[in-house]
Amino acid sequence: MYTLIIFSVLVFLPLPLMASAARKTKKSYRAIFEGVLGVAIAMMLMFIIASVTGNPVGRAIASDLQLFCETAANNNQIVSMLGMEKVSFGDRVNTLTKVYTYAINALPATMLVWSTIIAYFEYMLISRISRGAKYPLPELTKLKDFSMPRKALWGWILIYLMTFVVTLLGFMHSKILQINIQVLFQFAFQIQGLAVIFYFCDSKKWPKVVAVILCLFFLPTAIGQMLLCMIGFLDLGFGLRKIITRR
């Protein structure tokens, strides 16, 4: 049940929120932000209501995932694909359980990440559809021109410091908080890093397909994602795109 609710909120809620915000602010990325913010509020309310009624979202999803792990650990094709033929059934379940435990802990951040991705492509679609309307929505700014506000860097630093303080104070769920902050931090600066790559390729007059290939080279691996995050951090902190322009 929760999976269907979450999917519905991620897909359908941003649409009216973005359309309304775009007409008011005339800013495409601000509209996407407000759509994602609406999703975050809706999800928070859902988590609170589910907790009060005695059926927490995380516990319900964990129960479904536990059943999936046991089924997967008993499926010869999946076991062979994962290279776990010589591992006992119990160890297979434990290994898969560790993966879904991390996924459950990072659930709030993961939902925000996916809501941002979905909202981005949805806004791209509705802005194109509205071109023939009397009051069209503002076009989405090209990715190469995207940048978080400079003050966002200080915001992230402040969030990290607050998370560190909470950890020192022994807050019960500090580890879960750290995981979610880390996921959101990496995602935000990876987007900034992608914008730098598109900007660099555009400055060299290279086809967009080259930028796409470079992005696909970074994204699949943990090292590539870390490098992408560092590029985004350097751009926001030290104006990497300005340095590229000067050269």
Side-chain angles (χ1 to χ4, degrees), residues 163-175:
T163 306
F164 179 71
V165 171
V166 167
T167 304
L168 290 179
L169 293 175
F171 179 58
M172 190 191 323
H173 301 295
S174 59
K175 187 174 182 181

Side-chain angles (χ1 to χ4, degrees), residues 186 190 217-230:
Q186 289 180 346
Q190 282 168 10
F217 174 78
F218 281 104
L219 289 172
T221 64
I223 294 177
Q225 292 174 13
M226 183 180 68
L227 290 173
L228 201 59
C229 189
M230 288 178 61

Side-chain angles (χ1 to χ4, degrees), residues 161-199:
L161 289 175
M162 291 174 64
T163 306
F164 179 71
V165 171
V166 167
T167 304
L168 290 179
L169 293 175
F171 179 58
M172 190 191 323
H173 301 295
S174 59
K175 187 174 182 181
I176 295 176
L177 180 62
Q178 284 179 319
I179 290 172
N180 283 275
I181 294 299
Q182 186 69 24
V183 170
L184 291 175
F185 176 89
Q186 289 180 346
F187 177 71
F189 282 96
Q190 282 168 10
I191 295 298
Q192 187 85 12
L194 291 175
V196 174
I197 291 176
F198 272 86
Y199 184 88

Side-chain angles (χ1 to χ4, degrees), residues 194-214:
L194 291 175
V196 174
I197 291 176
F198 272 86
Y199 184 88
F200 175 77
C201 292
D202 183 73
S203 68
K204 296 293 184 181
K205 307 297 183 184
W206 293 346
K208 286 184 180 179
V209 67
V210 176
V212 173
I213 292 172
L214 286 174

Side-chain angles (χ1 to χ4, degrees), residues 13-240:
L13 183 59
L15 290 169
L17 296 176
M18 290 190 299
S20 176
R23 288 193 169 91
K24 289 179 181 177
T25 64
K26 305 300 181 184
K27 295 179 180 179
S28 55
Y29 284 109
R30 176 62 184 271
I32 293 174
F33 173 77
E34 292 197 16
V36 174
L37 183 62
V39 170
I41 294 172
M43 290 298 181
M44 183 176 65
L45 291 174
M46 185 185 73
F47 273 75
I48 293 172
I49 294 171
S51 180
V52 170
T53 56
N55 191 21
V57 177
R59 186 187 301 169
I61 295 177
S63 177
D64 293 338
L65 289 175
Q66 179 66 29
L67 179 62
F68 169 79
C69 289
E70 292 174 359
T71 304
N74 205 33
N75 186 297
N76 292 330
Q77 290 182 338
I78 296 177
V79 170
S80 178
M81 183 178 65
L82 296 175
M84 301 174 71
E85 297 94 332
K86 297 181 180 180
V87 181
S88 67
F89 176 78
D91 289 338
R92 294 173 197 166
V93 174
N94 288 335
T95 301
L96 294 172
T97 299
K98 288 179 182 178
V99 175
Y100 91 66
T101 298
Y102 179 86
I104 291 296
N105 288 337
L107 186 60
T110 303
M111 287 192 299
L112 288 177
V113 168
W114 276 107
S115 68
T116 303
I117 295 171
I118 292 170
Y120 178 85
F121 286 104
E122 284 184 337
Y123 186 88
M124 186 185 297
L125 177 63
I126 62 176
S127 63
R128 289 182 179 178
I129 293 174
S130 71
R131 285 176 182 173
K134 186 176 181 180
Y135 300 105
L137 298 178
E139 290 287 334
L140 194 64
T141 309
K142 292 182 179 179
L143 184 57
K144 71 181 182 68
D145 298 320
F146 168 79
S147 178
M148 289 184 286
R150 184 69 180 273
K151 59 185 178 182
L153 178 62
W154 298 107
W156 280 113
I157 292 173
L158 178 61
I159 290 171
Y160 257 99
L161 289 175
M162 291 174 64
T163 306
F164 179 71
V165 171
V166 167
T167 304
L168 290 179
L169 293 175
F171 179 58
M172 190 191 323
H173 301 295
S174 59
K175 187 174 182 181
I176 295 176
L177 180 62
Q178 284 179 319
I179 290 172
N180 283 275
I181 294 299
Q182 186 69 24
V183 170
L184 291 175
F185 176 89
Q186 289 180 346
F187 177 71
F189 282 96
Q190 282 168 10
I191 295 298
Q192 187 85 12
L194 291 175
V196 174
I197 291 176
F198 272 86
Y199 184 88
F200 175 77
C201 292
D202 183 73
S203 68
K204 296 293 184 181
K205 307 297 183 184
W206 293 346
K208 286 184 180 179
V209 67
V210 176
V212 173
I213 292 172
L214 286 174
C215 292
L216 293 176
F217 174 78
F218 281 104
L219 289 172
T221 64
I223 294 177
Q225 292 174 13
M226 183 180 68
L227 290 173
L228 201 59
C229 189
M230 288 178 61
I231 292 172
F233 186 87
L234 290 172
D235 180 56
L236 190 61
F238 302 98
L240 191 57

